[in-house]
Amino acid sequence: MNDLPESNMWHFNLKSVSLIGHTDRFGSSSYNNVLGQKRADAVKNFLVSVGVAPEIIKPVISVGKDQPVVECTKKTIECEAPNRRVTVRGTGTSK
């Protein structure tokens, strides 16, 4: 997240930002839903700390382990790593 201020995001007037927390498939669904929400909340807190208006950041949700980006044939920490993420989607106009 520390690279975010150097990203192209700062070349836009943001209108809305949505955050979706994801997890790997280790653990129960209820545990992963809570963990995904914590991840999304952490990204929201970071965005607010660097100047993004909190009122434009919604929804901030978790889908837990329901939307993996990789399907691992072996349940390993390394293979599942890409599934542990927060998806950030923003809308706005260029400056």
Side-chain angles (χ1 to χ4, degrees):
M1 285 195 303
N2 292 335
D3 295 334
L4 188 59
E6 302 300 323
S7 77
N8 289 333
M9 180 176 145
W10 303 113
H11 300 286
F12 294 91
N13 293 313
L14 287 173
K15 301 291 183 198
S16 69
V17 178
S18 68
L19 303 171
I20 304 170
H22 302 268
T23 67
D24 59 30
R25 59 187 174 149
F26 297 108
S28 69
S29 290
S30 60
Y31 173 83
N32 280 310
N33 286 332
V34 170
L35 179 57
Q37 187 65 51
K38 287 180 180 180
R39 286 187 175 139
D41 290 338
V43 172
K44 178 183 180 180
N45 292 339
F46 174 77
L47 291 174
V48 170
S49 79
V50 295
V52 177
E55 60 271 11
I56 71 165
I57 306 173
K58 55 186 173 184
V60 180
I61 63 170
S62 172
V63 294
K65 57 185 174 179
D66 292 339
Q67 296 177 3
V69 290
V70 296
E71 292 289 341
C72 300
T73 55
K74 292 185 179 180
K75 198 173 177 182
T76 65
I77 292 172
E78 295 80 14
C79 182
E80 292 281 343
N83 294 327
R84 299 185 291 272
R85 69 197 189 283
V86 173
T87 303
V88 179
R89 292 191 177 109
T91 63
T93 56
S94 60
K95 290 185 178 179

